Amino acid sequence: MKKPKKPGDNISMKTKKNESPLVLDWINSQTNLMDSIRYLIENEVAANGIRNLQKYIPAERAVSIGGAAAMWHEIGMVDTRAGQSANYVPAESRAHEEAAASKEREQHPAEDDIDDDDIESWT
């Protein structure tokens, strides 16, 4: 039987050799990895109580483009431009694209869509 952890004990975590880019991207995006993991644990306990997740989740969890595409799309992590299948977009690429889009908006601000006639009708 494994020794129960006490407050202040160390725990270790090792990534898999074939770790999903999604998981690695998430890990690399954290400024405080242990606190982020603690937060996920707290949410799991709040939702489901104390349980051994290994009894409820598959040991092998391939993150497939098809299975995760909807979730990735919702959180803006996929490139679903016309003619392309859903592809995972790493955080670095998204940040680069967002910076380029922001620069473009600064250089070419959108024209005001408010018609002067509309303003007069408000008074």
Side-chain angles (χ1 to χ4, degrees):
M1 182 172 177
K2 70 180 179 182
K3 183 179 167 188
K5 299 292 181 195
K6 297 178 297 194
D9 282 355
N10 288 326
I11 60 171
S12 62
M13 181 176 166
K14 183 177 181 182
T15 57
K16 297 177 183 176
K17 296 232 183 261
N18 62 346
E19 195 69 73
S20 160
L22 183 67
V23 172
L24 291 172
D25 206 9
W26 184 87
I27 289 171
N28 291 326
S29 298
Q30 306 309 304
T31 54
N32 184 332
L33 179 60
M34 287 310 298
D35 199 43
S36 297
I37 291 172
R38 186 174 295 107
Y39 175 77
L40 295 176
I41 293 169
E42 290 166 351
N43 282 341
E44 163 60 18
V45 171
N48 301 303
I50 303 289
R51 64 181 184 161
N52 180 357
L53 275 180
Q54 293 304 301
K55 294 180 179 177
Y56 301 94
I57 59 175
E60 294 292 325
R61 297 178 302 277
V63 179
S64 67
I65 294 296
M71 176 190 73
W72 292 358
H73 182 72
E74 263 185 43
I75 59 176
M77 296 182 67
V78 290
D79 181 356
T80 55
R81 287 178 261 194
Q84 298 182 358
S85 59
N87 293 311
Y88 170 69
V89 180
E92 304 87 40
S93 296
R94 290 193 313 278
H96 178 73
E97 289 178 8
E98 289 169 10
S102 177
K103 186 176 180 180
E104 177 70 21
R105 284 191 298 273
E106 288 175 12
Q107 292 176 344
H108 305 285
E111 291 186 25
D112 195 355
D113 292 337
I114 299 175
D115 189 343
D116 290 340
D117 293 337
D118 291 340
I119 293 173
E120 290 176 12
S121 67
W122 296 349
T123 57

